[in-house]
Amino acid sequence: MTLIPEDKVIITVATTGGVAGTRERNPNVPETPEEIAKATHDCWKEGASILHLHARDKDGIPTGDPVVYSEIHSRIRDLGCEIIIQDTTGTGPQVSIEDRIRCLNAVPKPEMASLDMGTMVRNSGPYEGTYSIRYGKTLEDWALKMKRAGVKPCMEVFSLSNLREVKNLISKNLLEKPYYVEFVLGQPYHGGIDASPKHLNWFIEDLPEPQDTIWGVLSTGKDQLPLTTMGIVLGGSIRVGFEDNLFYRKGELAKSNAQLVARSVRIAKELGKVPLTADETRELLGIEKI
Ligand code: ZN
């Protein structure tokens, strides 16, 4: 079941990301506040209703600095873009755990924030051996901070065991309904479940409170488009963008985040669905615009 109307889809765009989205790999990745704001505006016009935001410092390195987040939030609104702003608290292995939650102090504040629902260890790639510890107590603390700040968590679930933590936060009354859970498939480099239709169905079947939950799906690289298309079919929200996929198709770099959003909007339309606007998404999620 899903809370999203059956002729609608929610599209999140993750414009920049923390590790994979480097200029060396795709020169079209937006990095500066100005570039991110412009890319976000373009994606909102194409049909994205949520931005998942990673800020970068002047050297292009991921940062948790609320001053940089404030600048990006302001620039987005100054362009007349009404997209829902969701800041990352995953941020990237270059940023300390303490600094990752500082985006909540940005002005204007974010409307949502991601919340990675478990400890992750990088077991390959450039940050091999680094880890992000998030266990029950950390998650309770961060969920409480978000609740007090009026920021809705987007709970990122990388494996079935992470759903236990979702259940724990619900049982401790640390979340407002409807709950928002995003399934992350295909990130084996830090312990996530592999991307497959079977695993997406496992996640959906195991959701703790499906009648009160909006679920979404994201995947990476070559698995991004098939899994998000499945998400559209199954009534979820989807995430696209350079954080998850730098390519338009095999061997062809994507030109922009908006190009990736536009493709999913076209696919959704062929399947009889249109994207919810940002305000419609706010109403469904019960969040107030900043
Ligand atoms: Zn992210």
Side-chain angles (χ1 to χ4, degrees):
M1 77 172 280
T2 175
L3 298 180
I4 301 173
E6 65 178 26
D7 57 346
K8 297 285 167 60
V9 62
I10 294 172
I11 299 179
T12 297
V13 64
T15 56
T16 303
V19 174
T22 61
R23 283 262 170 86
E24 289 73 34
R25 297 182 68 200
N26 185 329
N28 302 315
V29 174
E31 284 191 343
T32 67
E34 190 177 6
E35 289 167 354
I36 293 173
K38 162 87 170 58
T40 301
H41 186 243
D42 292 345
C43 292
W44 172 67
K45 285 196 292 189
E46 291 292 346
S49 64
I50 302 175
L51 162 70
H52 172 77
L53 173 62
H54 286 245
R56 301 270 177 100
D57 66 16
K58 286 190 168 45
D59 298 318
I61 309 293
T63 176
D65 187 348
V67 173
V68 185
Y69 279 93
S70 301
E71 182 183 351
I72 301 171
H73 297 175
S74 298
R75 282 181 179 273
I76 288 168
R77 292 295 183 250
D78 287 349
L79 290 173
C81 174
E82 310 225 321
I83 201 163
I84 294 168
I85 298 175
Q86 175 197 107
D87 289 347
T88 180
T89 65
T91 317
Q94 309 91 332
V95 179
S96 72
I97 282 281
E98 298 74 33
D99 278 351
R100 295 183 194 189
I101 191 80
R102 290 173 66 219
C103 57
L104 296 189
N105 300 325
V107 181
K109 73 174 180 67
E111 296 161 284
M112 299 180 75
S114 63
L115 183 57
D116 294 346
M117 296 304 287
T119 292
M120 289 184 286
V121 180
R122 293 252 163 197
N123 50 39
S124 62
Y127 295 93
E128 184 178 340
T130 61
Y131 47 83
S132 311
I133 296 180
R134 292 185 203 80
Y135 63 105
K137 286 274 182 283
T138 330
L139 294 169
E140 289 172 20
D141 179 44
W142 286 24
L144 184 61
K145 284 189 168 84
M146 289 180 193
K147 190 175 182 181
R148 285 181 175 154
V151 173
K152 191 168 197 72
C154 170
M155 292 177 278
E156 308 278 7
V157 165
F158 297 81
S159 72
L160 286 171
S161 59
N162 290 169
L163 289 172
R164 267 201 310 271
E165 303 297 348
V166 175
K167 212 170 175 175
N168 180 52
L169 297 185
I170 293 172
S171 74
K172 299 211 163 126
N173 197 28
L174 290 165
L175 304 170
E176 305 282 357
K177 290 181 186 175
Y179 315 123
Y180 196 93
V181 173
E182 197 159 66
F183 305 130
V184 185
L185 295 98
Q187 297 191 357
Y189 42 86
H190 56 196
I193 199 166
D194 290 337
S196 77
K198 179 175 72 175
H199 294 161
L200 177 58
N201 279 318
W202 283 355
F203 276 134
I204 295 168
E205 285 170 18
D206 258 22
L207 263 182
E209 303 274 352
Q211 74 283 2
D212 289 318
T213 305
I214 291 167
W215 63 264
V217 59
L218 72 92
S219 191
T220 50
K222 68 176 176 45
D223 297 313
Q224 184 261 311
L225 184 62
L227 267 292
T228 52
T229 302
M230 260 194 89
I232 298 170
V233 172
L234 295 172
S237 78
I238 63 162
R239 190 176 102 174
V240 300
F242 282 146
E243 177 168 352
D244 303 330
N245 184 10
L246 295 165
F247 289 83
Y248 189 77
R249 58 172 69 89
K250 188 173 166 59
E252 181 185 330
L253 292 171
K255 292 186 178 69
S256 66
N257 281 286
Q259 184 190 25
L260 297 167
V261 172
R263 174 168 62 181
S264 284
V265 171
R266 282 199 305 276
I267 291 169
K269 283 184 177 164
E270 289 292 335
L271 293 165
K273 301 187 184 216
V274 293
L276 281 172
T277 66
D279 276 345
E280 288 168 341
T281 306
R282 281 187 185 91
E283 199 177 333
L284 193 68
L285 300 184
I287 56 180
E288 280 181 32
K289 183 170 171 234
I290 55 148

